[in-house]
Amino acid sequence: MAGESATPAPLQAGTWGLPGHQAAPWSGVFAEAWRRAFTGTALLPPGIGTLPAGPLGDYLLDAAQRSVLFIDLMRRRGNEQQDITSRPMATVLSFDHDVLVSGRALPRPINYFLSRIVPPPGVKVDPDKRPVVVVDPRAGQGPGIGGFKTQSEIGEALANGHPVYFIGFAAQPEPGQTFLDVVEGQVSFFERIVAMHPDAPRPFAIGNCQAGYQTLMVAMLRPDLFGPCMVAGSPMSYWQGVHGKNPMRYSGGLLGGSWLTALVSDLGRGKFDGTWLILNFDSLNPANWLWGKQYDLYAAVDTEAQRYLGFEKWWGDFITLNGDEIQFLVDELFIGDRLTRNEMRSSDGTVFDLRNIASPLIVFTSLGDNISPPPQTLGWILDLYKDVDAIHAEGRTIVYCLNQTVGHLAIFVSAKVGAKEDEEMVRLMDLIDCLPPGLYELVISPASEEEVKAGGHPWHSRFEARSLEDIRAFGRNSVEDDRAFAAVRRVSEINLSLYRTFLQPAVRALANPHMAELLFATNPLRLSYSLFADSNPFMKPVAKAAAEVTVARKPVPPDNPFLAVQKLWSDQISAGLDAFRDLRDRAVEQAFFGIYGSPVLQGMLGLNLDEKVRELPPTSPQKRAFLTQKMAEFRDRVDEGGFNEALVRSVLFVIAADRQLDERCATALKETCLRLTQLSISDFKSLVRRQFYILLLERMAAVEAIATLVPDSAARQSLLNDAAAVAGANGTLTIGEQQNIEKLAEVLGVAAPHSPAPVLPADTHRSASSTLQLAPASA
C-alpha cells in the first residue's frame, strides 16, 4: 500500500473528480493546483478532483507555480538584505576597487572613503587624462549605485580611458559626525586625487542625488580642486515646484516641521534610520510600492529574478545617519532652503556660494522625476542670477541636460541613461570645460543609421544657448508660494524649540538600547524584508518547494485568455491606488496652502506681507570691482593676438548667427587650434573665453580687428577656410552662418569659400528661439 500511495496518479483532463466520484468543488481544484505546483504530479486521495483541461487548468497550474517561485524570491531577497546590512562596508559596486583614503583617519572622522576603481581586464586608462570622481548618495541606502551596472557613470568613464575614483561610505556614521564634517573632510579626498594626477586637468566630479549638493559644497570651499561638476537628480532649490505636482515638498509643513526628525533620532539614541527616507520615496507612488513592483515580478518570475534581486540588493541596503546630520539637512536644506540663498556657512564661517565655483556646472534632470523635479534641480539658477548677462559677467558656464521620461532612480541606475546621457557627458567633459560662459541645454539626438554603420558615434550632441525664461518654464514659485514655505520654516523653528525644551529631555531619558533596536527592527520597510527571510521559521519549506517547482515548471502559453484577465485585474488595482494617490496629493496641497498660505498665520509669525521672501544674493563690492576690471581688460585686448586668436574669434562670430554649438564644431575648433599651436586644455579654455568676452563687449570692433591680427593675405584666406570648415563640421550651415562667413570675407578682403556643407534655413534643424544676438553684458 505504501508503494501505491507513493506512485503519482496522472491528472485526468476534462474531469472535476476521479472516475466514479462526484466532481470536486472549486476548493479542490485550487488545492490540486497548489499540490501540482509543488510536485509537478498529483497524489490524489479519493474525492479530490483534478485540474480541468484547457486554458483554465493550464493557467491555474502556472499561477500556483509562479506563486511558489515568487515567495522564494521574497525569501532570497530577505536573506540578501540581512547579509548586506550585516557588513558595514558592503557596496553594490560591480567594479573592483582599492581604498586609498579612509575618512576615519581625518582630524574630524567621517564614515566616507576614497577608492580607486580597478579597470577591468582589457581596459586601459591614461593617468594624464582628466580623472572622473563619482560620489554616491547617502539617502537611506548603502553605496555603489553609480557603478551598479557595467553601463554606468563609472563604466563609461573607464571605457573612455579616464582614471576613475569612487567616494562611498560605511553603513554606520562615526560618533559625533556632522554633515559639515563630511563636506569639509572630502576636501582631502580631492586633494589626494589632484596630487596623483599633477599633469591632468582637474577632476570631473559627479554627484548623484544627495551627493550632488554635497559635492558642490565641497567645490564651493575649494574650487581650485575641481573641473566640471555634474549633479544628477539633486534637489538644490527645495521649495520650488508646480501646483498639482511634487507633493514631497509639502511634507515638512504638514508634519509641523523638523521636530519629528529630532523625536525619531532621540528614540534611536542619536541615530536616524535611513529607512524612513526610503519610505518617503516609496509613498509617492503607492501603486508601484504596494502592488506594481511585486506584480511585475510575479507575472514574469521566470525571467525577472536576477534583475529584481540585483536592484533589491541596493534598495534594501539600509544605513543609519547621526541625528545631528539629518537634522542639519532637514533644517538647512529642505525646510530652510538656505543653500541657494547663501545663508549656509562652513565651520570656519565661509559662506557656501555656488557662484564661487569657477568650473562648469552640469545638471542632469528629468521631467519624469517626482523626487527631484526640474524646478528643484534647476531653480537655483534663478535664485542666484538676474539674467544670462549676469552669468556672462561672472564667467560661469552652466549646462543642463533634460530627459523627458525617466524617473529619479533611473537617472543614475538605468542602462539606457548610461548608454546615452552618461556616455555623452563623459565623452564631452573637456569640451564642456572649454565652452564660453553662458547657460546651455545639452541636446542629444541619435545619429543616422548610415553614420553608425560606418563606425560613427551613435549620438550627436549640441549645446543650445538658453535664457532664464527657459528655466522658469519648468515651474517657479509665486511670491505667495514662497511666503507659505517661509511660514513653514518659522513654524518648524518654533515647534523644534518647544520640543527641545519640554519633551526632548524626557524622550532621551526613556530611550534605551533595546527600544532603539526594536524601533529599527519593526520599521515597516525592514519588516517587508525580514519577514520573508530564512530567519523566519515559517519560510523554511519554501526553498525545497521552489526547487521542485523549478524542475516541474510548465509556463502558460502567452495567448492564454486568463493571463489577460490577470493583467486586467492588476491594472484595476493599480488604477485604484493611483486614484487614491491623486486624491491624497490634492488634499495635501490644499491643506498646505490653506494653512501656511493664510495671511493671519503669516502675520502671527511676523512675516511682512509686503516683503519678497526670495531676493537675489548680493554681489560683494570686491567681486564687482574685480568684474569691472576684467571687462576693461577684455576691451583693451581687441587688437591683441595672432592666428589662433583670430580663428577662435572668427568661429565664435560665425556660430553667433545661431544659438547653438554642435559638439562636432567644438571638437573641430579644438583640434584645429591644437594642430596649429600646441595648447593645453587650460590654455584653450582661456583662449575661447577671452575671445568670447571680446566679441561680447566690442562686437563690431572685434570683428573688424581680425584683419589686424592676420595681416598676410594668404594667411587670411587660410583663416577663413578654417573658420568655415569648423563651423560646418556638423554637416550643415544655416543661412545666418553663411552670411557671417561672407561678412568675414569682406572684412579680410578675401574670397568667401564654397560652402563646406549644405546651407539650411535657420529654422530647418534648430528651434525658432535659437537666434543669437551677442549683446553687451549688463555688467
Side-chain angles (χ1 to χ4, degrees):
M1 294 296 293
E4 291 179 5
S5 63
T7 303
L11 285 177
Q12 300 187 34
T15 65
W16 291 95
L18 291 172
H21 291 80
Q22 188 177 0
W26 275 97
S27 60
V29 175
F30 283 109
E32 175 55 26
W34 275 90
R35 182 176 294 105
R36 186 66 180 275
F38 275 76
T39 65
T41 57
L43 297 173
L44 300 175
I48 300 297
T50 61
L51 290 174
L56 178 59
D58 293 341
Y59 172 77
L60 290 174
L61 177 60
D62 175 66
Q65 290 181 334
R66 279 188 284 130
S67 298
V68 175
L69 296 176
F70 173 81
I71 294 174
D72 183 59
L73 281 174
M74 295 296 100
R75 179 190 66 85
R76 292 165 61 187
R77 167 180 177 260
N79 291 342
E80 195 174 70
Q81 188 268 339
Q82 290 184 345
D83 172 66
I84 197 168
T85 54
S86 68
R87 294 182 282 124
M89 299 297 290
T91 175
V92 296
L93 270 179
S94 61
F95 299 90
D96 292 334
H97 57 285
D98 298 325
V99 176
L100 300 178
V101 182
S102 171
R104 291 174 176 167
L106 297 175
R108 293 282 300 174
I110 58 177
N111 66 331
Y112 280 73
F113 58 86
L114 170 67
S115 294
R116 180 184 67 87
I117 299 297
V118 178
V123 176
K124 294 183 178 180
V125 299
D126 183 351
D128 291 334
K129 273 194 168 185
R130 187 190 300 273
V132 175
V133 186
V134 176
V135 189
D136 245 26
R138 187 162 164 253
Q141 289 101 348
I145 197 64
F148 177 60
K149 298 178 181 179
T150 303
Q151 204 159 40
S152 59
E153 295 163 342
I154 291 177
E156 295 302 332
L158 289 173
N160 282 271
H162 293 273
V164 182
Y165 296 87
F166 176 77
I167 296 179
F169 45 87
Q172 297 292 330
E174 291 294 300
Q177 171 181 309
T178 68
F179 182 76
L180 287 180
D181 289 338
V182 171
V183 171
E184 295 165 1
Q186 288 190 24
V187 169
S188 63
F189 293 171
F190 283 90
E191 287 176 337
R192 175 67 179 274
I193 296 169
V194 170
M196 292 176 65
H197 300 273
D199 298 325
R202 289 294 188 255
F204 176 37
I206 302 175
N208 295 316
C209 188
Q210 174 271 340
Y213 50 76
Q214 175 182 295
T215 302
L216 291 187
M217 291 173 73
V218 181
M220 293 178 217
L221 296 179
R222 288 292 304 276
D224 58 303
L225 298 175
F226 287 79
C229 299
M230 180 179 115
V231 291
S234 185
M236 303 285 292
S237 190
Y238 196 74
W239 287 6
Q240 297 305 318
V242 179
H243 283 231
K245 296 181 180 180
N246 320 129
M248 184 181 284
R249 65 187 182 133
Y250 305 128
S251 300
L254 295 185
L255 293 174
S258 67
W259 73 274
L260 194 58
T261 304
L263 172 63
V264 172
S265 299
D266 290 337
L267 291 174
R269 294 181 61 82
K271 295 292 181 63
F272 183 89
D273 187 359
T275 315
W276 294 111
L277 301 176
I278 305 169
L279 268 175
N280 282 341
F281 303 153
D282 278 336
S283 65
L284 290 176
N285 189 356
N288 180 69
W289 170 39
L290 299 175
W291 178 258
K293 185 164 69 170
Q294 287 68 238
Y295 171 77
D296 290 343
L297 176 63
Y298 168 76
V301 71
D302 297 303
T303 58
E304 288 295 294
Q306 293 308 313
R307 184 201 62 80
Y308 178 83
L309 290 175
F311 177 77
E312 288 295 312
K313 183 179 180 180
W314 174 72
W315 191 250
D317 184 14
F318 307 128
I319 63 163
T320 61
L321 299 90
N322 281 338
D324 289 342
E325 286 184 281
I326 190 66
Q327 196 69 45
F328 181 92
L329 283 171
V330 174
D331 287 338
E332 300 296 319
L333 276 89
F334 300 145
I335 292 178
D337 196 25
R338 300 181 190 278
L339 179 60
T340 59
R341 302 165 185 268
N342 293 357
E343 295 177 359
M344 289 177 58
R345 295 178 180 270
S346 67
S347 58
D348 65 0
T350 302
V351 174
F352 287 105
D353 187 347
L354 274 163
R355 296 173 298 181
N356 288 342
I357 303 176
S359 302
L361 296 181
I362 308 165
V363 179
F364 181 28
T365 188
S366 173
L367 293 176
D369 187 349
N370 63 344
I371 294 175
S372 302
Q376 293 181 7
T377 55
L378 295 171
W380 61 271
I381 301 172
L382 304 175
D383 292 341
L384 295 176
Y385 298 103
K386 178 182 179 182
D387 48 34
V388 173
D389 280 347
I391 298 175
H392 290 159
E394 294 201 6
R396 299 299 176 253
T397 301
I398 303 171
V399 178
Y400 68 90
C401 182
L402 179 69
N403 188 292
Q404 299 291 325
T405 57
V406 301
H408 180 71
L409 289 176
I411 289 177
F412 33 87
V413 174
S414 169
K416 292 182 179 179
V417 169
K420 184 182 178 183
E421 285 89 352
D422 288 342
E423 179 181 359
E424 288 301 275
M425 291 180 199
V426 168
R427 187 173 68 89
L428 302 175
M429 66 175 82
D430 288 341
L431 287 181
I432 293 175
D433 196 20
C434 297
L435 282 177
L439 174 64
Y440 303 89
E441 179 181 358
L442 173 59
V443 180
I444 304 172
S445 56
S448 66
E449 292 184 9
E450 292 76 12
E451 289 176 297
V452 175
K453 288 180 181 178
H457 193 71
W459 304 105
H460 288 323
S461 296
R462 63 185 186 273
F463 302 94
E464 297 191 358
R466 294 289 185 247
S467 71
L468 297 196
E469 290 305 315
D470 294 299
I471 304 299
R472 291 189 181 94
F474 291 116
R476 180 70 173 170
N477 277 0
S478 65
V479 174
E480 292 74 19
D481 289 350
D482 278 341
R483 193 172 290 120
F485 282 96
V488 172
R489 182 165 62 183
R490 293 280 181 91
V491 168
S492 179
E493 292 168 351
I494 293 170
N495 286 345
L496 181 60
S497 178
L498 291 173
Y499 168 76
R500 285 174 169 168
T501 302
F502 297 106
L503 290 180
Q504 191 175 63
V507 172
R508 288 184 171 179
L510 291 173
N512 58 67
H514 298 293
M515 178 186 291
E517 185 177 348
L518 181 64
L519 181 67
F520 276 61
T522 56
N523 181 286
L525 197 54
R526 287 183 185 271
L527 285 175
S528 72
Y529 289 82
S530 61
L531 288 178
F532 289 93
D534 283 338
S535 55
N536 181 352
F538 290 100
M539 296 298 294
K540 292 295 184 182
V542 172
K544 180 181 178 182
E548 294 174 347
V549 165
T550 301
V551 173
R553 182 77 174 105
K554 291 186 178 180
V556 71
D559 60 350
N560 187 292
F562 292 95
L563 279 183
V565 174
Q566 170 190 291
K567 180 67 165 57
L568 180 62
W569 181 57
S570 174
D571 290 344
Q572 291 300 314
I573 293 175
S574 295
L577 290 170
D578 283 340
F580 160 75
R581 176 203 62 201
D582 295 341
L583 181 64
R584 176 202 65 186
D585 292 350
R586 285 196 296 270
V588 163
E589 184 172 83
Q590 290 172 2
F592 179 89
F593 286 109
I595 296 170
Y596 294 103
S598 167
V600 175
L601 176 63
Q602 293 174 6
M604 293 174 61
L605 294 171
L607 292 175
N608 187 343
L609 301 184
D610 297 325
E611 179 183 355
K612 285 187 177 181
V613 175
R614 186 182 298 271
E615 298 283 357
L616 291 174
T619 302
S620 67
Q622 295 83 357
K623 180 175 283 190
R624 283 200 299 269
F626 173 77
L627 293 175
T628 301
Q629 177 186 354
K630 292 298 292 182
M631 294 305 168
E633 289 178 6
F634 287 129
R635 284 190 168 99
D636 291 340
R637 302 180 71 174
V638 171
D639 296 325
E640 291 183 10
F643 192 92
N644 265 3
E645 287 76 8
L647 177 61
V648 172
R649 190 183 302 181
S650 298
V651 171
L652 292 177
F653 171 68
V654 171
I655 64 174
D658 194 86
R659 284 190 80 181
Q660 78 168 12
L661 176 62
D662 188 279
E663 52 105 354
R664 290 163 290 183
C665 171
T667 301
L669 176 60
K670 178 183 172 185
E671 291 178 348
T672 301
C673 286
L674 290 175
R675 173 171 52 83
L676 296 171
T677 305
Q678 291 300 316
L679 294 175
S680 66
I681 290 178
S682 177
D683 291 338
F684 179 71
K685 176 179 178 178
S686 298
L687 175 60
V688 170
R689 286 174 170 256
R690 187 164 58 249
Q691 298 308 314
F692 170 81
Y693 276 119
I694 290 173
L695 267 174
L696 188 70
L697 298 169
E698 300 289 343
R699 184 169 184 261
M700 294 313 301
V703 173
E704 292 171 356
I706 294 175
T708 305
L709 301 182
V710 185
D712 181 74
S713 59
R716 288 181 180 181
Q717 187 65 63
S718 177
L719 168 70
L720 189 59
N721 293 343
D722 285 342
V726 168
N730 64 344
T732 60
L733 284 175
T734 65
I735 291 178
E737 288 170 339
Q738 183 64 30
Q739 289 174 342
N740 279 3
I741 289 174
E742 293 171 357
K743 173 65 176 177
L744 270 178
E746 181 182 341
V747 168
L748 295 173
V750 297
H754 293 296
S755 174
V759 179
L760 301 178
D763 59 353
T764 298
H765 65 294
R766 295 158 187 171
S767 63
S769 64
S770 294
T771 303
L772 174 64
Q773 298 296 330
L774 285 176
S778 58

